[in-house]
Amino acid sequence: MCEMDLNIKKIAFQVQLLTNAEQMKDYPFTRMVIERGLTEEEWQEVMMLLATIDTTFKEEVEEGLLDFKDLLIHFAGMLNMKLHPDEAISAIKKEGYYTDLMIAFENVPKED
């Protein structure tokens, strides 16, 4: 086995240990990003998506709108395919990112 392969295996093992650390329970979104194998670029895209949607959310709240179903649909449709929208919303909220937006998404009635 070449040295590069050994280094990759070593790094993968170390990352696995870190994601299992007790402190990672406080960082569920970060853990999800690591476990699902998002690249830095994909993570940045998710964060930009959240920032954009949060801006729209704040504008809609200021205008008095109460239905955020369209924003949720947009979020779910644009979210990286490696992440499930419901799991991501919960993890993002628990980690403290965009809390008001995530609460609004959680309160959108589910259709059967």
Side-chain angles (χ1 to χ4, degrees):
M1 195 176 273
C2 77
E3 188 175 332
M4 186 172 185
D5 288 340
L6 289 173
N7 285 336
I8 291 171
K9 282 187 149 199
K10 178 181 168 184
I11 291 169
F13 171 70
Q14 291 170 341
V15 167
Q16 183 181 9
L17 285 176
L18 288 172
T19 59
N20 291 329
E22 180 66 24
Q23 294 84 355
M24 284 305 291
K25 70 176 175 54
D26 296 330
Y27 303 97
F29 182 62
T30 300
R31 181 177 182 167
M32 183 183 295
V33 166
I34 293 168
E35 289 177 343
R36 306 286 168 86
L38 269 71
T39 65
E40 181 179 356
E41 182 178 282
E42 290 170 329
W43 177 82
Q44 288 175 347
E45 289 171 358
V46 170
M47 298 310 287
M48 287 190 317
L49 173 64
L50 286 165
T52 301
I53 291 176
D54 188 59
T55 299
T56 303
F57 168 72
K58 288 177 179 173
E59 290 170 357
E60 290 183 1
V61 166
E62 204 170 287
E63 293 171 6
L65 296 175
L66 301 173
D67 182 2
F68 304 107
K69 181 179 177 183
D70 289 342
L71 274 182
L72 176 58
I73 291 169
H74 178 73
F75 171 75
M78 297 299 292
L79 187 64
N80 187 287
M81 292 177 57
K82 296 175 185 175
L83 302 174
H84 185 278
D86 291 334
E87 293 172 355
I89 289 166
S90 177
I92 291 165
K93 181 181 129 189
K94 286 178 186 170
E95 198 157 325
Y97 294 117
Y98 305 103
T99 307
D100 292 338
L101 176 62
M102 297 302 109
I103 291 170
F105 282 170
E106 288 178 336
N107 290 326
V108 170
K110 305 273 190 228
E111 294 183 12
D112 297 327

